[in-house]
Amino acid sequence: MDFKYIIVGAGLAGLTMAERIANELNEKVLVIEKRGHIGGNIYDSYNEDGILIHNYGPHIFHTNDRGVYEYLSNFTKWNDFWHRVLTYVDGNLIPMPITVETINKLYNLNLNCSQVEEFLNNQAVAIEEIKTSKDVALSKVGKDIYEKIFETYTKKQWGIDPSELDTSVISRIPIRLNRDTRYFNDKYQGMPTHGYTKMCEKMAANKNIKILLNTDYKEVIGQINYDVLIYTGATDEFYDYKHGKLSYRSINFVFETKDVEEYQQAPVVNYPNDYDYTRITEYKKLTEQKHNKTTIGKEFPCAEGEPYYPFPTKECKAQFALYEEEMKRESKVIFIGRLAEYRYYNMDAVVRRALDAFENLKSI
Ligand code: FAD
Ligand code: UDP
């Protein structure tokens, strides 16, 4: 079999590359996917009660990258959606991320914006060099808020102490000195009107794109002649684990359908201190679907299972650097995506990486 371009993985990275090659270069491309569906971790589907769920956890599109927003808008319309999260602390539901409302509810106060700034400045711990996620939180909000909101959630999510995690993890959560309770700051936010799978199907709807599902690329790659391999799977697997197995954090998603129209007050409720799960998502509140029942998803983080989160620690980065040396030497392979680059990328970053990689590919 001859294909100029082979793509391993039909997630967002792989499909963006496939779409660009098929449409702009008008070349044939074979996508090999080991799961039984396209979309990778953004895959969504209707469950037996007819409720649209995100099979691999809640996905909310948000970006400041106009190019990425416009690119994906070729394949979907967006519901005007601003994500909101509540967190369950000391028996109360309070807004996340930390805003003026959060501080007032947490301490039963009635401070204005500048008083909250002063309050947080008084709480903040002076740290000379911010090296870890724990330093980030302590230096911004102090010990009490760190312990109530970040410490145990992070231990549950990652299985290690925040003092062992890179600064980037807790830095994902903004601290706001105003009353804006939206979860994300980004200019463009939304949910695909008909879901992520429909968006992915449109990306793949080109006769130049052939998709082989339920197939590990290693089973077939020896029988295919190709010029370029675009690889979006795990890098350690690509190199047969020669520098050891990379660590990932996995999640066990447990779905429950309730015979009520509404389950909770926000699309996502975080549980930093109580219960073994980190958060509960009520999917109808993301998708705006109308239904007389509702499906919720609980997230139980775990060490074994599908590799969802690359581990942002010093040791893991050092181990990945050994693979990066190998990757640089490849002349026919392009590595992109959350698994292949071992980075905690959001969807927009993955699409940006793929669009940029495509521009490079065109120029060689
Ligand atoms: P993937 O989606 O992992 O796709 C890689 C594909 O390669 C998979 O389908 C896999 O089966 C396939 N593959 C791997 N190995 C092989 C092989 N050997 N042979 C064949 N196929 C193979 N981002 C946001 O922007 N907003 C959010 O709200 C958000 N929420 C998230 C929540 C959770 C719980 C998780 C885990 C991630 C979240 N993300 C979110 C991140 C988002 O899921 C990723 O950025 C994006 O899906 C990554 O796309 P990808 O193509 O790089 O990887
Ligand atoms: N986090 C936390 N408490 C919260 C929410 C988040 O401690 O209530 C920390 C935790 O370490 C988490 C990180 O902030 O892994 C990033 O949170 P985000 O909501 O971005 O995680 P994701 O949606 O990527 O799982």
Side-chain angles (χ1 to χ4, degrees), residues 96 149-150 153-154 158 172-173 183 270 279 309 344:
M96 266 298 276
I149 291 183
F150 295 107
Y153 185 106
T154 301
W158 296 97
R172 286 169 63 88
I173 310 295
Y183 200 61
N270 289 353
R279 56 186 179 190
Y309 291 89
Y344 191 172

Side-chain angles (χ1 to χ4, degrees), residues 125-180:
V125 178
I127 294 175
E128 213 161 281
E129 201 186 344
I130 311 281
K131 288 192 189 145
T132 68
S133 269
K134 179 173 181 177
D135 297 342
V136 170
L138 286 177
S139 66
K140 287 185 176 168
V141 298
K143 190 164 175 287
D144 195 49
I145 300 176
Y146 166 71
E147 286 173 357
K148 283 181 157 61
I149 291 183
F150 295 107
E151 187 178 28
T152 317
Y153 185 106
T154 301
K155 279 186 185 161
K156 270 197 272 185
Q157 173 70 18
W158 296 97
I160 57 174
D161 193 84
S163 60
E164 293 177 68
L165 284 168
D166 194 278
T167 54
S168 59
V169 179
I170 285 182
S171 300
R172 286 169 63 88
I173 310 295
I175 312 278
R176 298 204 190 101
L177 301 171
N178 58 29
R179 294 177 196 277
D180 178 0

